[in-house]
Amino acid sequence: ETGVTQSPTHLIKTRGQQVTLRCSSQSGHNTVSWYQQALGQGPQFIFQYYREEENGRGNFPPRFSGLQFPNYSSELNVNALELDDSALYLCASSLGGSGHYNEQFFGPGTRLTVL
Amino acid sequence: AQSVTQLDSHVSVSEGTPVLLRCNYSSSYSPSLFWYVQHPNKGLQLLLKYTSAATLVKGINGFEAEFKKSETSFHLTKPSAHMSDAAEYFCVVSDRTGNNRKLIWGLGTSLAVNP
């Protein structure tokens, strides 16, 4: 059983650029959640994908978008990057569906720096 | 709406002394509650979880937490701190709205362990 992996580990972009972050979920999991963790803060929920459909969204603007693929891996896309987007982006996978509590397993994160 | 409040942003203890990290929650129904730990430059790791079974929950590395509905608390304790326990700890409540099971995070408590 493989854990959650994320790529890249670090990324530097400039304002206005676009970025794509990737996440491979843990084997058997069908749900992926994305979080943004600014320095010194707790993770903030961006959105969740369940069986390739967006299944809830936090308080983030539309320039944050995502995808989930048939193998349940996922991408987070951020357009028109702003300085405040600099953060650690965390992906978590879980087994979703009725009756399942959402124990989420986290990847190591992607550290995004926007200059 | 669910929320969680970690009452201390920083806690400092001596090695071998007890650890108490305090967490209060707000939930309109019986919640699932979690404690996660984040060591510097490492991913988030689940310490323990409460999902409406036994109110005293034992986790990894000697940590435990007690769910107290009357006090809406879920404090994390450990009888004897170890140097390796120094990390950031997050109390988390699950928002269980349909299939959208996002996690709502506290701001974190930084635990320092002094020799």
Side-chain angles (χ1 to χ4, degrees):
Chain A
E1 179 180 282
T2 57
V4 179
T5 59
Q6 293 185 243
S7 62
T9 55
H10 295 83
L11 201 53
I12 299 175
K13 292 284 189 177
T14 57
R15 277 185 303 174
Q17 285 189 311
Q18 178 268 342
V19 68
T20 297
L21 310 181
R22 295 178 175 83
C23 171
S24 291
S25 58
Q26 186 165 309
S27 177
H29 287 176
N30 57 14
T31 302
V32 172
S33 304
W34 285 93
Y35 296 85
Q36 180 195 65
Q37 186 179 19
L39 200 61
Q41 302 292 319
Q44 297 291 314
F45 175 72
I46 303 175
F47 44 57
Q48 182 182 88
Y49 279 83
Y50 171 66
R51 292 185 174 179
E52 303 178 58
E53 297 288 332
E54 187 177 290
N55 187 40
R57 189 178 182 92
N59 189 26
F60 281 81
R63 59 189 185 83
F64 285 78
S65 63
L67 283 173
Q68 188 179 31
F69 300 99
N71 66 355
Y72 302 129
S73 66
S74 177
E75 286 183 354
L76 164 65
N77 299 290
V78 187
N79 295 322
L81 283 166
E82 300 177 0
L83 296 179
D84 285 348
D85 295 334
S86 296
L88 181 68
Y89 288 85
L90 296 164
C91 164
S93 77
S94 58
L95 183 61
S98 178
H100 290 279
Y101 64 83
N102 53 326
E103 179 174 347
Q104 299 189 358
F105 295 83
F106 284 82
T110 294
R111 174 72 64 186
L112 173 64
T113 302
V114 182
L115 303 176
Chain B
Q2 281 59 249
S3 66
V4 63
T5 302
Q6 292 185 242
L7 300 173
D8 307 290
S9 58
H10 300 279
V11 170
S12 182
V13 300
S14 297
E15 190 175 21
T17 64
V19 175
L20 170 63
L21 305 184
R22 299 182 295 165
C23 173
N24 286 351
Y25 70 91
S26 172
S27 178
S28 55
Y29 50 74
S30 184
S32 293
L33 292 158
F34 310 81
W35 276 97
Y36 280 85
V37 62
Q38 188 174 36
H39 286 92
N41 301 316
K42 292 189 178 180
L44 285 157
Q45 182 181 21
L46 179 67
L47 273 179
L48 49 80
K49 58 184 181 283
Y50 166 77
T51 56
S52 74
T55 56
L56 182 62
V57 181
K58 293 187 183 299
I60 61 172
N61 300 335
F63 284 94
E64 63 182 38
E66 185 171 8
F67 173 73
K68 292 186 176 180
K69 186 175 180 179
S70 61
E71 299 176 10
T72 61
S73 69
F74 191 58
H75 301 333
L76 181 70
T77 60
K78 183 173 180 177
S80 176
H82 191 272
M83 295 296 289
S84 61
D85 294 329
E88 191 81 15
Y89 291 80
F90 294 97
C91 182
V92 186
V93 64
S94 170
D95 180 348
R96 200 183 308 169
T97 304
N99 274 328
N100 173 13
R101 289 176 170 78
K102 66 181 181 182
L103 299 180
I104 309 233
W105 296 70
L107 294 180
T109 298
S110 177
L111 175 65
V113 181
N114 307 308

